[in-house]
Amino acid sequence: MTARQLHFNAFLMEAGHHEAAWRLPESNVDADFDLQHWVRLAKLAEDAKFDSLFLADGPALQGSGEFRPPGQLEPLTLLTALVAATSRIGLIATVSTTYNSPYNLARRLASVDHVSGGRAGWNIVTSATQREADNFGLDFTLGHGARYERAAEFLDVALKLWDSWEDEARVGDKAAGRFADPERIHPIRHRGQYFRVEGALNVRRPPQGYPLLVQAGSSDDGKQFAAAYAEAIFTAHQTIERAQDFYADIKDRARRIGRDPGGIKVLPGIVPVIGSTEAEAQQLAQQLDDLRVPEYGLLQLSTILEVPADSLALDESLPRSVVNRPTVEGFQSRADLIVELATREDLTVRQVLSKLGGGRGHHTVAGTPEQIADTITTWFENGAADGFNVMGPALPSGLEAFIEHVLPILRSRGLFREDYTGTTLREHYGLEKPANQFHVRELTRV
Amino acid sequence: MTARQLHFNAFLMEAGHHEAAWRLPESNVDADFDLQHWVRLAKLAEDAKFDSLFLADGPALQGSGEFRPPGQLEPLTLLTALVAATSRIGLIATVSTTYNSPYNLARRLASVDHVSGGRAGWNIVTSATQREADNFGLDFTLGHGARYERAAEFLDVALKLWDSWEDEARVGDKAAGRFADPERIHPIRHRGQYFRVEGALNVRRPPQGYPLLVQAGSSDDGKQFAAAYAEAIFTAHQTIERAQDFYADIKDRARRIGRDPGGIKVLPGIVPVIGSTEAEAQQLAQQLDDLRVPEYGLLQLSTILEVPADSLALDESLPRSVVNRPTVEGFQSRADLIVELATREDLTVRQVLSKLGGGRGHHTVAGTPEQIADTITTWFENGAADGFNVMGPALPSGLEAFIEHVLPILRSRGLFREDYTGTTLREHYGLEKPANQFHVRELTRV
């Protein structure tokens, strides 16, 4: 198969992406801290030849805990614990540039890439909420622009650190007692606005050069950052038109700064609610919707929209003050998406919550396997997606159903791999191992 | 067996603790980044029923790399990668309180404890060198006292975060839609000199309550910190007298602040150079000594003593200015140990380097298995040790020889376990799961 192929990322979440999934009779109520739950999901996704699996994160409790599991294992730790249970699938974790230091984080990510044999990916986030800031001694979050400014400098430092060992640095000459060539281990001597880092990293260059760089912010700052650094983008769109606009915009931004647009894979989220008939799918969607606790959704919505929960009345529209104001500082693109959705479909707050319950704004498709495969194919073939971030509403059942019923249809259309052809995450996504910025300098100097 | 038992920690290091071990013909020159090397060592130690294994660390290159592997995998990542290969042995990693934030680190350690089923330990270090500071944008390291002050506050925050979920917080009532009891998830609202952290942690209380707390600083500040927080102490002594003084001092400090002295296990380092005859052991020691590159040792020594390398002449004594000055700010206890050793035995710098090459100041014993078992027994039975930090000069061979030849002798004396009796690291060390500070408050309130 040489035709353009779909990429699939399994976005994992304790009992599922639907906020009430943990209440289903079959759900493991301790999924969040049960390593075996995650091992099972990872193996499922790898057996099905997914490019990667992915863990979202934020360094704070999500809500009060009353209505939904509010915490989770630290994602790089969980990913690392999954290394031994898997051998090919890529492992992507979310880590914040706002609440970490580049030296420590670059080192951790390099280490995960080493122990996994080149399967690490980093979903770069800038952390929008005050709840997160409060765990790190900051009175206020950095503004949206400053967060991305810091993130860009963070990436520049991390890239230099990952390159600080040339591949040829390790000499290993036992007879001469010469372990490495210090001329090929480069202090980075970074002096910037946010960071001063001397380097070199104390970890050799990772097998992939550096971990796959993933980004999920869709604001203007987020898109510009993604165009500059990202190799894969997770994004949320309710309609193919919006997804197409986003796709074209990203590829165009990449082109304008001299990057190959094919080097950035765009993966919108999809929440597949699968039934053998459309009615059966609707029934499953209804079952999950009935299990929602409205107070929970209200709290989440108020956080994203940055308004007090009691300013939102369940059976009324979103307040005019929310609809008409300029965009928020935190979850910009998600807040815009919700306001647009509510306005376009003239929804009450209760209806908005129902729409968001399954995937927090990601595209939910309830239908037969054929209908879901058709949606995927249409988006893929019409400039809206290079692949998808697959978000099972309940887990593992939602992932199992997708693998068992939807993937065979896409395979029969020649759109998805039968087996892995590479061994690294970068290879699954069809991306090259990046050149070492210091090696080039070295060659010209010698 | 109810008699007092030895505790053994396997202190692992790429090709071995001797600085020239990587040059031995049988050594794996890529041991530092080869996961299979570490898996093999971990399994060896677990099969032999060691209490724990341990990884040292510092977030900077160690030297130039020219003469010895200068970096290593980030230790919490490596430990986590070893979880699947082991099931009982404790997993202890070094992480700095100076270059981490309490929320992130408490979460990571709690996560390792969860995925390992209660086997995590944390060797708390405060990071002494300018090279480390330079990777985090600080012009100067914090002074010795301030580093420990920060460490103490770090620990207070971490302990509160680990306790922030009561064990009973997770309700899991699917029918009622009630996942957790928010009254049993406690914001910690810490406002201190170094940190402000709101909490609660977004990870449930770890299986051990919190990871085993280990400490390895032997300065006055270090000992006071250890007496207050540590449950196990790694320490370096050249003579039994010094070890006895240290042991008595630590237990006394603990007693004076109201802790059970039995709740702190003191484990001096021992570098066993094992031969079937004393001559054979001396031969192995000589082989390693001959492989040393003096420039490397000189660089290390100059770092610890905080003097320029060119102020140390190989065939002269330590300069009088070093011997007579007050203690350094960085590696206080190690610098003092070296000066004392050189003075007591009237050594040239070259002889000092030879003494330090095997274990950087830890006690090296070259001899037959019986001689090594006798040293261990004598120290153990005469108030110098509760167990030992076993530092194979070359690895895996040094660990294999210890397990095959020394452990059986100690077992025949009834001093070391035949099998594990517990499943958590805390249980191996005979320590209780700590009470939850918030649960007590809760009980009195209800």
Side-chain angles (χ1 to χ4, degrees), chain A residues 103 107 164-165 200-204, chain B residues 33 57-62 70-73:
Chain A
Y103 196 91
R107 185 177 181 212
S164 63
W165 283 62
L201 197 61
N202 56 353
V203 172
R204 287 191 209 170
Chain B
F33 295 102
D57 193 55
L61 275 184
Q62 298 293 311
Q72 65 176 23
L73 293 161

Side-chain angles (χ1 to χ4, degrees), chain B residues 237-253:
Chain B
H237 302 287
Q238 290 284 323
T239 65
I240 186 169
E241 293 76 19
R242 282 297 189 196
Q244 285 166 327
D245 290 348
F246 178 84
Y247 188 95
D249 186 12
I250 283 288
K251 303 278 175 161
D252 187 51
R253 286 176 195 247

Side-chain angles (χ1 to χ4, degrees), chain B residues 180-241:
Chain B
D181 178 356
E183 296 287 308
R184 292 189 177 275
I185 301 175
H186 304 276
I188 68 165
R189 300 199 179 97
H190 177 88
R191 301 278 177 279
Q193 186 184 347
Y194 292 91
F195 307 109
R196 282 182 298 133
V197 181
E198 183 66 17
L201 197 62
N202 56 353
V203 172
R204 288 191 207 169
R205 193 162 193 249
Q208 293 189 101
Y210 48 84
L212 184 81
L213 301 179
V214 183
Q215 208 272 346
S218 297
S219 64
D220 194 65
D221 290 327
K223 282 191 283 196
Q224 203 48 41
F225 179 85
Y229 296 99
E231 300 168 295
I233 298 180
F234 299 152
T235 182
H237 302 287
Q238 290 284 323
T239 65
I240 186 169
E241 293 76 19

Side-chain angles (χ1 to χ4, degrees), chain B residues 37 48-49 61 64 76 95 120 156 166 172 202 217 223 243 247 253 268 273 325 329 346 352 364 380 389 438:
Chain B
H37 171 77
K49 320 302 177 194
L61 275 184
S64 70
L76 269 183
V95 192
D156 290 339
E166 296 186 44
N202 56 353
K223 282 191 283 196
Y247 188 95
R253 286 176 195 247
V273 184
R325 72 180 169 178
E329 269 297 306
D346 194 20
V352 168
T364 299
F380 179 60
N389 203 8
F438 294 113

Side-chain angles (χ1 to χ4, degrees), chain A residues 23-24 27 30 57 66 71-72 74 99 104 107 111 135 137 139 170 174-175 178-179 196 199 202, chain B residues 23-24 27 30 57 66 71-72 74 99 104 107 111 135 137 139 170 174-175 178-179 196 198-199 202:
Chain A
R23 297 182 65 190
L24 291 171
S27 287
D30 291 316
D57 194 56
E66 189 160 7
Q72 64 177 23
E74 192 279 322
Y99 301 118
N104 282 345
R107 185 177 181 212
S111 296
N135 289 330
D139 282 326
R170 197 281 273 153
K174 289 181 177 182
R178 190 172 162 79
F179 179 79
R196 282 183 297 134
N202 56 353
Chain B
R23 298 182 63 188
L24 291 171
S27 287
D30 291 314
D57 193 55
E66 188 159 9
Q72 65 176 23
E74 191 279 325
Y99 302 117
N104 281 346
R107 186 179 179 210
S111 296
N135 288 330
D139 282 324
R170 198 283 271 152
K174 289 181 178 182
R178 189 173 163 78
F179 178 79
R196 282 182 298 133
E198 183 66 17
N202 56 353

Side-chain angles (χ1 to χ4, degrees), chain A residues 231 247 251 254-255 259-265 386 429-431:
Chain A
E231 300 169 294
Y247 188 95
K251 303 278 175 163
R255 212 174 280 113
R259 284 188 68 193
D260 168 17
I264 311 183
K265 308 298 177 187
D386 294 312
Y429 278 99
L431 300 167

